[in-house]
Amino acid sequence: MRIITGIYKGRHFDIPRSFKARPTTDFAKENIFNVLGAYLDFEGATALDLFSGTGSITLELLSRGCSRVVSVELDRDHHRFICECVKKLGRHDDGSCLPLRGDVFRFVKSCKAQFDFVFADPPYALKELAQIPDLVIDKGLLKDGGVFVLEHGRDHDFTQHRCFREHRQYGSVNFSLFTSAAPAV
């Protein structure tokens, strides 16, 4: 796993072979972050990484200058790996990253914070995947002007969602982008 750009550009982290998570490919990650540059400036932004898996997105967000990144991952080994990577970057004590081990749905229901950017990369076969945009948006996790990105398989289509902005596909990786408010008519 590699950090694409920012202050930690080029840093590599070896993912244990026993991991079930599939990190977002470098190609897909680089391209979606290029698209996101038109929506928001990551410098000083607050971010939430749901279903963090290997922590690839969390680390990329820290590298791009986010002032605070909260990552939520249920798997104990994956959470530990994220904590180790954050520590290797020297960011474990400065308050800029909070890796949480827990259920994403419980976290979202109890979260009182708002973020400039929310990223979710659930298992593609997750039965609740189609509900995630409504959960994130209706709970008010996005600040005004905030952006939510959902990574998903090709079996889902969010183009009719009230806050949908655009869809991007890179190989088998699909991203649907949403903003905090419906577009002006």
Side-chain angles (χ1 to χ4, degrees):
M1 175 176 76
R2 177 175 66 96
I3 297 176
I4 304 297
T5 197
I7 59 175
Y8 304 116
K9 178 181 179 176
R11 293 283 301 265
H12 286 267
F13 298 90
D14 294 324
I15 301 168
R17 293 188 190 277
S18 62
F19 273 23
K20 300 172 285 240
R22 49 155 177 73
T24 303
T25 65
D26 286 354
F27 176 75
K29 185 168 56 171
E30 183 171 9
N31 280 288
I32 195 61
F33 272 95
N34 286 340
V35 170
L36 289 169
Y39 286 91
L40 64 116
D41 181 4
F42 289 101
E43 189 68 38
T46 56
L48 174 62
D49 183 9
L50 300 172
F51 304 96
S52 300
T54 62
S56 173
I57 299 299
T58 292
L59 301 177
E60 192 69 36
L61 291 165
L62 288 170
S63 185
R64 290 172 184 258
C66 284
S67 63
R68 182 148 170 83
V69 179
V70 176
S71 67
V72 183
E73 173 55 45
L74 182 60
D75 185 276
R76 181 189 69 232
D77 295 332
H78 295 184
H79 173 260
R80 185 180 312 122
F81 180 75
I82 294 167
C83 291
E84 290 170 2
C85 291
V86 170
K87 190 172 186 175
K88 286 179 184 176
L89 294 178
R91 301 293 291 269
H92 59 294
D93 288 335
D94 67 1
S96 63
C97 187
L98 179 61
L100 299 174
R101 181 171 172 243
D103 178 78
V104 164
F105 296 101
R106 284 187 182 160
F107 174 83
V108 168
K109 287 178 184 172
S110 65
C111 183
K112 306 249 185 285
Q114 288 189 312
F115 302 89
D116 298 300
F117 179 68
V118 178
F119 186 91
D121 182 8
Y124 287 2
L126 183 73
K127 66 181 180 185
E128 301 92 350
L129 190 145
Q131 300 163 8
I132 294 173
D134 284 336
L135 289 172
V136 168
I137 292 163
D138 294 347
K139 179 59 180 159
L141 293 181
L142 290 177
K143 292 180 181 178
D144 286 343
V147 177
F148 168 53
V149 172
L150 176 63
E151 182 174 335
H152 57 86
R154 66 175 180 238
D155 297 337
H156 289 85
D157 179 3
F158 296 97
T159 56
Q160 298 306 307
H161 191 280
R162 70 190 186 282
C163 296
F164 175 82
R165 291 297 164 267
E166 64 178 289
H167 171 262
R168 295 294 176 118
Q169 181 178 355
Y170 307 104
S172 63
V173 180
N174 289 266
F175 296 103
S176 289
L177 284 75
F178 307 83
T179 56
S180 57
V185 180

